[in-house]
Amino acid sequence: MLLLSSRAQHTTMTREEIGNGSEDMVIDECEPEGRERNSVPDEFNANYLKVYYGKLFPHADIFKWISYGNDGKHPACDQSYFSRREFSYTLDNDIYLRYQSFNSASELENSIKEKCPFKIDIGPVYSVDPAKRHAYAQTGDNVFTPVERELVFDIDITDYDDVRYCCSGADVCLDCWPLMTVAIKVIDTSLRDDFGFNHILWVFSGRRGVHCWVCDGKARRLTNEQRASIAEYFRVYKGNENSLKKVSFTGLALHPFLARSYSEVLKDFFKSKLLLSQKLFSTEERYEKILEMIPDESITSELRGKWQENKRSSISKEDTNVVRWQQLKHILQSGRPKAQGLRRCVEEIVFSFTYPRLDMEVSKHMNHLLKAPFCVHPKTGRVCVPIDPNCCEEFDPTAVPTLSKLLEEMNMGTLRADVDNEWDRTSLGKSIRFFRSSFLQPLLKSCKEEIENSYNAKLQHSKNSMSW
């Protein structure tokens, strides 16, 4: 049984002690009054990672995913595939280890358990084993190069600081998190419908954003130029904090992808959620930011006059934000002579506040590292769990399991004998089951078919050659 007390947060262990310790870390001390037995302090503690990596982290599932069917069980498997994948570790005190590589699932698992990294990043598959790159470099040939990598996207709530007023920086709450939900819906739909990708994994970053892994074979083999083209396809937000105009549309009508995103997701979200949760028109400072996006001084003066007069004289039962948004839309979409050419402004305002803001460089380059799913964020203690894009609006970042909560659940759940895995005793079980059933199993089935088809094609080609 695992016993962890509040003294755990004051316990310091050397790396040798952590590395040599048993998987069951027993810290049996007197607990302060008022705390339940088996409770674990909320603060992130590096010592808890030993238990997490030993009991809960899904090592085998990560290996199966990253191997893409190249597990040595089929003659067409690429035996060197997994060993050419880069892993990087961030250890305590910001010690950074790059170009880690492993030959098997057990090697990967043993390394993680031994080093207990604060963060695990996954890089590309290289042409040669990244751990042996120096040996190849001495040959004079530039053979060490990335050859395969998932198409990845990184979306961070801090990039929305100019359109959210509830939080800023790394802070996030249930009022601004829906911006991430919108990003998932827009990007996921397009990846599937416009590009034909099927095996897409969305993951909570552990604190303030989301990561997307597109794992189809054709996505993994994209060149840097092709990745950049896809990233540019999604790029609409082109402003910065000093720009009056945050988005840039070309042509007389919205691109079909943008028109669909606007009508199916963005428009309703802006009106029913963001407008009210962020109170976008509630103060002069806030509505001036929106008026600056309208390039017609006569219209902005008219709206400004209405809102300042309304502030002095009217006591309306309707929400101020809703009323002012309706007034702005009415003028811009009225067809009045001075509003001609400004109908697009309504769409531009909505896109400026709601459209996904991608870290473009992450998606453009094959050699970019991205945090592995099921890591634990050291600042929040929360696990980087997968997000189901089909019901992402139900995802609550404040309810994601923390390291301390998981250890507490393990303590409380030791009497259950009806589970096969330690994680099934905890709230992490739901996330691992989703990862397996909704993402990993369909992916591996597709990989097996791809390997089989490739193998059969080579056999057929060989037979045809021999017949000649």
Side-chain angles (χ1 to χ4, degrees):
M1 180 172 177
L2 196 65
L3 293 176
L4 290 158
S5 77
S6 58
R7 278 290 297 275
Q9 65 180 311
H10 302 300
T11 302
T12 304
M13 299 174 69
T14 65
R15 191 164 306 288
E16 290 74 25
E17 288 170 327
I18 293 173
N20 297 329
S22 64
E23 286 189 1
D24 283 344
M25 183 172 63
V26 179
I27 304 174
D28 193 5
E29 299 282 353
C30 295
E31 302 203 10
E33 272 186 59
R35 287 196 66 87
E36 296 179 15
R37 180 171 170 78
N38 297 323
S39 65
V40 178
D42 289 335
E43 294 86 351
F44 175 86
N45 189 304
N47 298 330
Y48 300 164
L49 280 175
K50 186 73 178 172
V51 183
Y52 178 74
Y53 285 132
K55 297 287 187 181
L56 300 177
F57 187 79
H59 303 274
D61 295 298
I62 297 295
F63 171 78
K64 288 178 183 177
W65 164 37
I66 295 300
S67 296
Y68 292 105
N70 292 293
D71 53 6
K73 295 178 182 178
H74 191 279
C77 287
D78 182 346
Q79 301 288 348
S80 70
Y81 184 88
F82 183 74
S83 64
R84 291 186 283 116
R85 170 76 74 161
E86 177 190 1
F87 290 83
S88 92
Y89 293 162
T90 303
L91 308 180
D92 197 1
N93 297 318
D94 288 330
I95 298 171
Y96 195 41
L97 302 179
R98 277 204 68 178
Y99 302 114
Q100 308 287 296
S101 64
F102 310 98
N103 292 315
S104 65
S106 58
E107 268 192 30
L108 173 66
E109 181 173 349
N110 291 337
S111 172
I112 292 173
K113 286 180 177 179
E114 177 194 348
K115 291 189 169 64
C116 284
F118 275 39
K119 186 169 72 138
I120 303 169
D121 284 299
I122 299 175
V125 177
Y126 284 93
S127 50
V128 296
D129 183 341
K132 300 174 182 175
R133 66 197 182 284
H134 295 307
Y136 292 100
Q138 292 171 2
T139 66
D141 298 324
N142 187 24
V143 295
F144 180 64
T145 183
V147 294
E148 193 171 303
R149 203 266 188 281
E150 298 80 7
L151 174 63
V152 295
F153 298 92
D154 183 3
I155 308 172
D156 197 322
I157 197 75
T158 56
D159 291 328
Y160 294 76
D161 276 359
D162 63 316
V163 297
R164 62 179 184 142
Y165 300 106
C166 51
C167 304
S168 63
D171 294 331
V172 65
C173 71
L174 295 183
D175 282 335
C176 56
W177 179 260
L179 286 162
M180 297 293 97
T181 301
V182 164
I184 292 173
K185 287 183 174 182
V186 168
I187 302 298
D188 189 81
T189 298
S190 181
L191 287 171
R192 296 177 194 276
D193 294 352
D194 301 340
F195 293 96
F197 296 128
N198 296 306
H199 305 290
I200 303 170
L201 177 67
W202 288 94
V203 183
F204 174 47
S205 72
R207 190 180 193 185
R208 61 192 183 192
V210 292
H211 299 154
C212 176
W213 302 74
V214 187
C215 303
D216 300 63
K218 61 183 179 180
R220 304 197 308 272
R221 292 185 282 271
L222 291 168
T223 65
N224 283 342
E225 291 74 21
Q226 290 168 330
R227 292 165 195 268
S229 294
I230 292 175
E232 285 295 333
Y233 179 83
F234 290 120
R235 189 180 184 197
V236 166
Y237 180 81
K238 300 186 178 182
N240 57 50
E241 60 184 19
N242 298 315
S243 303
L244 299 182
K245 198 168 182 178
K246 306 289 186 180
V247 300
S248 177
F249 295 135
T250 57
L252 296 175
L254 285 176
H255 183 282
F257 154 62
L258 298 179
R260 183 184 65 216
S261 299
Y262 180 75
S263 62
E264 295 180 3
V265 182
L266 305 182
K267 181 172 64 172
D268 183 63
F269 169 71
F270 180 89
K271 179 183 176 183
S272 62
K273 297 277 182 66
L274 198 71
L275 189 65
L276 299 171
S277 68
Q278 301 303 321
K279 298 180 172 54
L280 299 180
F281 290 85
S282 63
T283 67
E284 185 173 350
E285 180 185 4
R286 294 183 187 182
Y287 68 63
E288 281 295 339
K289 185 182 292 187
I290 295 172
L291 291 178
E292 286 172 352
M293 298 181 196
I294 303 172
D296 188 304
E297 181 59 35
S298 63
I299 288 180
T300 57
S301 295
E302 181 180 343
L303 287 168
R304 187 181 294 112
K306 276 187 179 184
W307 297 344
Q308 289 175 345
E309 183 66 27
N310 176 265
K311 179 181 176 183
R312 288 192 293 269
S313 63
S314 175
I315 303 176
S316 174
K317 291 184 179 180
E318 286 190 89
D319 184 271
T320 300
N321 300 280
V322 174
V323 170
R324 291 176 176 177
W325 174 240
Q326 292 296 341
Q327 290 172 339
L328 181 148
K329 282 201 304 177
H330 177 72
I331 289 181
L332 292 178
Q333 297 177 337
S334 64
R336 288 157 52 180
K338 65 180 180 181
Q340 291 299 318
L342 296 179
R343 299 176 68 86
R344 188 57 84 67
C345 272
V346 172
E347 295 169 351
E348 289 177 351
I349 291 167
V350 171
F351 270 87
S352 295
F353 279 82
T354 64
Y355 187 79
R357 302 181 180 187
L358 306 178
D359 185 332
M360 299 291 286
E361 296 307 309
V362 172
S363 304
K364 287 181 177 181
H365 304 292
M366 198 184 295
N367 63 352
H368 195 92
L369 295 158
L370 194 63
K371 189 194 303 179
F374 297 105
C375 281
V376 179
H377 196 291
K379 293 288 198 307
T380 63
R382 298 197 185 280
V383 180
C384 301
V385 295
I387 300 172
D388 184 350
N390 294 319
C391 49
C392 54
E393 61 277 355
E394 298 172 13
F395 182 81
D396 180 352
T398 66
V400 170
T402 60
L403 190 54
S404 56
K405 180 185 178 184
L406 292 173
L407 301 193
E408 211 167 89
E409 289 170 348
M410 286 175 67
N411 287 349
M412 300 298 293
T414 49
L415 297 179
R416 287 184 58 190
D418 60 335
V419 293
D420 297 326
N421 303 283
E422 289 283 356
W423 46 259
D424 253 338
R425 307 173 190 272
T426 72
S427 50
L428 188 63
K430 180 181 178 182
S431 295
I432 294 179
R433 285 190 294 272
F434 168 78
F435 179 80
R436 285 183 174 179
S437 63
S438 296
F439 169 71
L440 187 57
Q441 289 173 6
L443 172 66
L444 294 182
K445 183 178 181 226
S446 174
C447 291
K448 182 180 178 182
E449 290 171 356
E450 187 177 336
I451 290 172
E452 285 279 358
N453 292 338
S454 175
Y455 182 67
N456 292 336
K458 286 179 182 177
L459 284 180
Q460 189 62 45
H461 179 73
S462 177
K463 287 179 183 178
N464 293 341
S465 299
M466 290 176 66
S467 66
W468 280 95

